[in-house]
Amino acid sequence: GPLGAMAGGGNPLLALHAGGAAPDEDGPAQAASLVSDIAALFAPEARAAWPQEAGGDIQRPSGPARWLPRVRPSHAVPGELGLFMSGDCPAGRVAALYPGTVFDASDLGVMHRHVLPGNGYVVARRDGILLDGRPGPPSEQVFAMACARDLAKGRRVVTVAENPWAVGHRANHPPEGQLDNIRLAPLDLTAADVSRIGAEWLPNANFRLPADGDFALRTVVMVAKADIRHGEELLLDYRLTSDPEARPAWYSPVRR
């Protein structure tokens, strides 16, 4: 597949093949619900209730901030970081946002040259949209350049350090015998949607500006597949290739 350059193991391998391993499809009603959900996450009263913590035990959020993801050492992948739920997240609600630069299929040549080699943080939607959430170089530099262009046009992107929801790239694949509890949902946002949420809180930047009449941002969000309890690790089925010879040694398919 076009995303064949994968990391060697560990946390988190999200270089999903654009064919079979792509986010689940959702309809317009689900998209409208997700927009409302995300807008509520960043309402001023919800932001004021975010726990101010840098590590240690996971605190429950208070008041309007009923749940949010936190990064801690993983239980699923020892020695790596993972994603845990603070508070109780109901099924069908947004569990985390996936940060990074948004590319489309026509950008694959640029991606192969600059961001795909060795990159285990690329998510591919079925429609060819790709998100690069790698936290290090050169992906960070590409993201910074896209953000600088947006800033020149009046849009500021809050840094991942300031946005506790922009941590979806830290979700691990379930270890053998465990099930996933979050899924990827594609989300296309109009300019009105972006304004309603607050552009600065969406942790994505377009590699190229959208054409007139196109969606302002095409991204993915992480949605709870079932009720997720306080302290539970968030696990995402990476859905790697069905060919056992092509899969990393650490990878075990999720068996329903």
Side-chain angles (χ1 to χ4, degrees):
L3 304 181
M6 296 187 178
N11 165 51
L13 189 65
L14 280 174
L16 305 178
H17 288 295
D24 300 283
E25 298 299 336
D26 294 275
Q30 172 73 354
S33 175
L34 292 176
V35 170
S36 296
D37 216 9
I38 298 169
L41 300 180
F42 298 110
E45 60 273 18
R47 298 202 309 270
W50 289 345
Q52 301 300 312
E53 55 176 281
D57 293 340
I58 299 174
Q59 303 173 24
R60 280 186 177 271
S62 60
R66 293 163 52 201
W67 68 87
L68 76 163
R70 311 301 285 180
V71 177
R72 292 290 188 276
S74 174
H75 297 161
V77 185
E80 301 287 349
L81 293 175
L83 205 54
F84 293 80
M85 185 56 66
S86 166
D88 300 316
C89 177
R93 307 298 291 274
V94 173
L97 304 181
Y98 198 87
T101 308
V102 180
F103 298 84
D104 64 35
S106 64
D107 300 320
L108 269 175
V110 173
M111 295 187 75
H112 272 297
R113 290 194 298 273
H114 299 291
V115 299
L116 279 184
N119 189 348
Y121 294 81
V122 174
V123 168
R125 296 183 6 165
R126 288 195 178 97
D127 59 4
I129 298 296
L130 302 131
L131 279 82
D132 175 20
R134 179 167 53 184
S139 300
E140 279 187 348
Q141 285 83 348
V142 174
F143 182 71
M145 287 188 292
C147 288
R149 179 206 59 212
D150 289 351
L151 182 61
K153 294 180 175 293
R155 179 197 175 222
R156 183 175 81 95
V157 176
V158 172
T159 66
V160 170
E162 297 173 279
N163 185 348
W165 289 91
V167 289
H169 59 301
R170 294 298 183 189
N172 283 304
H173 181 77
E176 187 171 7
Q178 291 192 33
L179 295 175
D180 50 325
N181 56 11
I182 57 174
R183 66 182 181 88
L184 292 170
L187 183 61
D188 296 335
L189 299 172
T190 65
D193 294 332
V194 170
S195 178
R196 178 184 176 190
I197 293 168
E200 67 272 21
W201 295 107
L202 292 165
N204 305 112
N206 292 306
F207 180 70
R208 63 180 72 234
L209 292 173
D212 291 342
D214 200 357
F215 287 104
L217 184 66
R218 308 182 77 177
T219 184
V220 299
V221 297
M222 291 171 147
V223 175
K225 296 184 67 174
D227 293 345
I228 302 175
R229 302 306 179 192
H230 176 72
E232 192 174 341
E233 184 164 2
L234 306 186
L235 300 173
L236 175 70
D237 183 357
Y238 289 0
R239 300 186 190 176
L240 300 188
T241 175
S242 58
D243 179 5
E245 299 299 321
R247 293 196 299 247
W250 57 263
Y251 177 81
S252 296
V254 175
R255 305 194 186 281
R256 308 293 172 190

